[in-house]
Amino acid sequence: MGLLDKLTSIIDEATSGAEHGGILSKFKEHMNKRATEKGDCRKVFAHYMVGLTHGQPMDVWEHDIKTAKEAGIDGFALNIGPSDSWTDEQLQQAYSAAEEASEFVVFPSFDMACGNWSVDQVVALINQYKNHAAQMTVDGKPFVSTFEGPGWADNWNIVREQTGGIFLVPDWSSIGPYGVGEKLDLVDGAFSWDAWPKAGQYRMSPDEDKIYKTVLGDKKFMMGVSPYFYTNLPQWNKNWYSSSESLWHDRWQQVLEIMPDYVQIITWNDYGESSYICDTIPSQIVEGAHKFVTNYPHSAFRAVLPYLIAAYKAGCRDVDFKGEDTAIAWYRTTHARAGPDGGTHWGQGGAESAANAARDVISVMAVTRQPSDLIIVVGGREHHIRTGGETPLSYYEIPFDYTITGPVILVLNGKAVWGPEITNYCQEHVCFNAVAIQV
């Protein structure tokens, strides 16, 4: 619960009637103004895999940035490797498209796990874009991040000297928050990639985020948030599912509890790990992932972001938001034991079957300004729910099993959307990815 939420609750209990309404209205107006001023410093980014963009034309960048902005996202963390021949061309397009869009930033996220970066490479790239209008900056310094790379840590002081200064917020999650705490003199903050339940866990815990906040002190904390995780790519020895039935809802509630300096959505377009929230671009899908990505859209996850990001920036759940009232649902199209598990494990490094991790539910998030009638139809069975309460956000789970098949229909405020059918049939093995729909 944010400070404004807490104080509002106290006033709500201590006052009543007309007096209550007047005091509470003025208090909210004052606190929302202060929260907005502070919220100007809070940013939400999405992790963009540039390695998937070989031959990508400018209009794809323009579309991605447009749809990200519409969701309230402030910018892209551009994940880049040291050896892709198309990186330079795609970075130029990304920066140009961001500048053209205005009020949208980008910054490099050096992927230290996919090759060996030289100091000269890193310095040259930062110097090339540090003064670009679309480059994210803090205190006049270019914002820089990484995916992993704690073993490269000692090189960053050289990079600072040769670039005139950077604002470094790396992801060194492999050494954990206490490991990062031993390198605080090298960084301006830290980014935690810990965004999914671990093996054997049904729900995500914010405990590690709290440790990061404590360890970092007055340095910046960037918190990772993700909607989903499933991968089955034998060529990279990756085959696991992290429990994701309530993840998108739970993780944003934890953001509002932790109130980090920055949020990074993991990811915009990593199809190979089913964590994407973009409109699907077939050319970006890695080999072997088409079977669990094609016909599994995730763009609906973005529909609730205007409210969630507004609440985060205001530090208060009771805020207005851009756009219309909306509801989203995500679900697998078979129950967890409709076929073999394909060798998929429960969580990274886990030994149990993913069938034990996957709960057979349709997860629903609704964002409404006033209490509204929401109907979820599953296999012809209607579930009537009244949304609303103390805040615009509501969350529900509708269970299903092998006796329930057919399309999933969402109806809100007289509008309806039909989602793919739930069936008892799967090809080869169960697909643990979900489809997401919105109304």
Side-chain angles (χ1 to χ4, degrees), residues 29-171:
E29 181 180 351
H30 172 69
M31 289 302 292
N32 270 320
K33 181 179 179 182
R34 291 189 60 186
T36 299
E37 291 170 354
K38 186 173 183 179
D40 287 343
C41 299
R42 298 180 186 134
K43 301 291 182 184
V44 176
F45 309 112
H47 198 80
Y48 197 111
M49 307 297 291
V50 178
L52 303 177
T53 63
H54 180 253
Q56 181 164 294
M58 185 69 160
D59 61 352
V60 174
W61 284 106
E62 292 169 344
H63 176 78
D64 280 341
I65 289 173
K66 175 179 179 290
T67 52
K69 279 188 66 176
E70 289 171 349
I73 295 170
D74 296 296
F76 285 151
L78 300 172
N79 178 297
I80 49 176
S83 56
D84 291 333
S85 61
W86 56 91
T87 296
D88 287 345
E89 176 188 4
Q90 294 301 325
L91 283 183
Q92 290 175 29
Q93 290 191 146
Y95 273 83
S96 295
E99 180 182 12
E100 181 67 23
S102 75
E103 298 183 350
F104 193 87
V105 296
V106 289
F107 59 88
S109 177
F110 294 94
D111 194 326
M112 298 291 181
C114 70
N116 297 314
W117 284 92
S118 71
V119 171
D120 288 345
Q121 276 183 296
V122 172
V123 167
L125 194 147
I126 292 173
N127 279 335
Q128 181 177 356
Y129 291 104
K130 66 183 180 182
N131 295 319
H132 196 285
Q135 168 67 45
M136 169 70 181
T137 61
V138 177
D139 299 329
K141 300 174 183 177
F143 192 100
V144 174
S145 189
T146 73
F147 175 71
E148 285 303 332
W152 211 86
D154 290 338
N155 291 317
W156 285 109
N157 279 337
I158 302 174
V159 174
R160 288 183 192 275
E161 293 174 2
Q162 296 186 11
T163 58
I166 59 174
F167 196 88
L168 178 63
V169 183
D171 154 46

Side-chain angles (χ1 to χ4, degrees), residues 318-332:
D318 187 13
V319 294
D320 197 8
F321 53 93
K322 294 181 180 180
E324 298 180 351
D325 292 358
T326 190
I328 69 171
W330 64 99
Y331 58 96
R332 298 184 322 281

Side-chain angles (χ1 to χ4, degrees), residues 148-150 170-177 180 191-194 208 212:
E148 285 303 332
D171 154 46
W172 291 339
S173 296
S174 58
I175 61 175
V180 172
F191 167 35
S192 173
W193 196 264
D194 185 37
E208 189 154 309
Y212 267 104

Side-chain angles (χ1 to χ4, degrees), residues 231-360:
T231 184
N232 187 348
L233 297 172
Q235 68 267 37
W236 289 312
N237 296 314
K238 295 168 61 174
N239 189 0
W240 73 88
Y241 166 74
S242 296
S243 296
S244 301
E245 286 77 24
S246 63
L247 182 60
W248 194 228
H249 169 265
D250 293 349
R251 199 62 178 143
W252 278 103
Q253 296 309 297
Q254 291 165 6
V255 165
L256 296 176
E257 175 188 354
I258 302 295
M259 292 304 295
D261 301 285
Y262 309 112
V263 171
Q264 188 169 152
I265 297 170
I266 312 171
T267 62
W268 182 258
N269 66 328
D270 194 343
Y271 302 98
E273 296 184 348
S274 304
S275 59
Y276 52 98
I277 64 169
C278 61
D279 296 339
T280 304
I281 302 171
S283 63
Q284 289 188 357
I285 302 174
V286 297
E287 182 180 355
H290 283 277
K291 61 186 177 182
F292 59 85
V293 172
T294 302
N295 298 322
Y296 290 86
H298 280 195
S299 58
F301 281 118
R302 299 197 309 269
V304 292
L305 283 178
Y307 163 73
L308 294 169
I309 292 174
Y312 159 61
K313 291 187 175 183
C316 173
R317 289 172 171 83
D318 187 13
V319 294
D320 197 8
F321 53 93
K322 294 181 180 180
E324 298 180 351
D325 292 358
T326 190
I328 69 171
W330 64 99
Y331 58 96
R332 298 184 322 281
T333 54
T334 68
H335 63 89
R337 300 184 186 276
D341 64 11
T344 304
H345 294 292
W346 182 354
Q348 185 174 11
E352 289 189 61
S353 169
N356 297 331
R359 295 185 293 116
D360 292 333

